[in-house]
Amino acid sequence: SQKIEQNSEALNIQEGKTATLTCNYTNYSPAYLQWYRQDPGRGPVFLLLIRENEKEKRKERLKVTFDTTLKQSLFHITASQPADSATYLCALGPGGSARQLTFGSGTQLTVLP
Amino acid sequence: NAGVMQNPRHLVRRRGQEARLRCSPMKGHSHVYWYRQLPEEGLKFMVYLQKENIIDESGMPKERFSAEFPKEGPSILRIQQVVRGDSAAYFCASSPRSDPREQYFGPGTRLTVT
C-alpha cells in the first residue's frame, strides 16, 4: 500500500540556520507533490507545488526538491525564524483527473531564538 | 479576498445525533474536497465534489456519511447517527479551475461526539 514518511522526530534548529525536512514515499507514482504548513488548531496552508518533471522549486526562503528516482522530496527553509515553527505536511498528488491528496503525518519544526 | 470558510468551528454531538458541516469555497473556486484528521493521524481524503456532482467519494465511509455541493450555497458534509470514532477535525479545501491541483484549506470543524 502507499506509504509516506516524513522526519519521524520533531526537528529543533537554531534561528538563522537552514531547516531541511524530508518526505519519502513508496508504492506511489505521484504526478506532483505539495508542501503545507499547519499551525495548532488551524487548517493546512498551501506553500509550494512541484511537478514530477521538475527538480527544484523556490519561493522566497523556501526551496523544494523532488527526486522521483529516490522517491523523495526535501523541503528547505533558509534563514529560519521562530515564526517558522509549525508542523509541515508533505502531500502527494495523483495523475489524470484524480485530485485526492495523500498526506504524510507531518514534521513538527521548532526554531529556537 | 476571503478564504475557505467552514462552520461551525466546533460541534458537539451526542452519539446517535446528526452532524452537518458546512464549507464555502474561495470565490471563483469550483472544486471542493473534504478531508478528515483523526487525533495523532494525518489528513485523509474523503470526497471531491464540483457543483451538483460528486466526482470521487472513494475515501468516504460507506454508511452514515454523505456530501453535497449544490448549485447555490455551501458544500455540506453530513454524518448521520454519529459515533465516538467520528470525533475528528474535518477540513474542507477548494481549488480554482486554473490549477485544480492547488488546494486551499479552511480552518476546519472540530467534531466531538460524547
Side-chain angles (χ1 to χ4, degrees):
Chain A
S1 62
Q2 298 168 0
K3 192 173 179 183
I4 303 173
E5 287 187 349
Q6 297 191 238
N7 299 58
S8 56
E9 302 286 331
L11 184 63
N12 294 338
I13 63 163
Q14 211 63 43
E15 182 176 6
K17 301 290 186 186
T18 296
T20 298
L21 283 62
T22 305
C23 175
N24 294 296
Y25 58 93
T26 55
N27 298 326
Y28 201 112
S29 295
Y32 56 96
L33 185 148
Q34 302 189 35
W35 283 88
Y36 287 81
R37 168 186 174 140
Q38 187 173 26
D39 291 283
R42 310 191 78 147
V45 174
F46 172 76
L47 297 175
L48 280 167
L49 179 153
I50 186 166
R51 295 170 179 77
E52 61 179 336
N53 60 350
E54 296 176 314
K55 296 291 184 191
E56 180 180 301
K57 204 155 201 181
R58 292 174 186 261
K59 180 182 175 183
E60 298 172 354
R61 294 186 295 113
L62 309 179
K63 184 178 89 171
V64 172
T65 63
F66 191 12
D67 189 326
T68 54
T69 302
L70 290 178
K71 294 186 181 292
Q72 181 182 76
S73 174
L74 298 178
F75 177 76
H76 306 273
I77 306 174
T78 58
S80 59
Q81 305 164 1
D84 295 327
S85 300
T87 296
Y88 290 85
L89 306 173
C90 161
L92 305 183
S97 59
R99 294 283 177 257
Q100 73 277 16
L101 294 175
T102 302
F103 280 86
S105 54
T107 296
Q108 188 173 342
L109 172 69
T110 301
V111 180
L112 304 167
Chain B
N1 185 14
V4 177
M5 297 172 66
Q6 291 188 248
N7 65 80
R9 294 293 309 277
H10 300 274
L11 183 61
V12 179
R13 285 286 178 267
R14 289 201 181 97
R15 276 182 299 170
Q17 291 185 319
E18 178 179 288
R20 278 187 184 234
L21 289 61
R22 286 177 290 277
C23 168
S24 296
M26 287 178 72
K27 187 176 180 181
H29 286 195
S30 56
H31 305 254
V32 165
Y33 315 82
W34 286 93
Y35 291 82
R36 177 164 66 174
Q37 189 171 37
L38 293 166
E40 307 303 324
E41 290 189 23
L43 284 152
K44 303 287 187 200
F45 168 79
M46 299 180 75
V47 62
Y48 164 35
L49 310 105
Q50 293 181 23
K51 287 281 187 184
E52 300 184 284
N53 277 311
I54 297 174
I55 307 301
D56 180 356
E57 55 182 347
S58 59
M60 286 274 272
K62 294 283 185 282
E63 298 177 352
R64 302 187 297 107
F65 286 72
S66 62
E68 62 176 7
F69 188 16
K71 189 176 180 182
E72 301 289 339
S75 175
I76 306 283
L77 178 68
R78 184 180 175 208
I79 311 172
Q80 295 178 291
Q81 298 177 315
V82 295
V83 300
R84 288 227 172 95
D86 296 332
S87 295
Y90 291 82
F91 292 97
C92 168
S94 70
S95 60
R97 280 186 221 271
S98 58
D99 194 344
R101 292 166 297 188
E102 293 182 4
Q103 297 185 20
Y104 295 86
F105 283 77
T109 293
R110 274 144 191 86
L111 172 66
T112 302
V113 179
T114 61

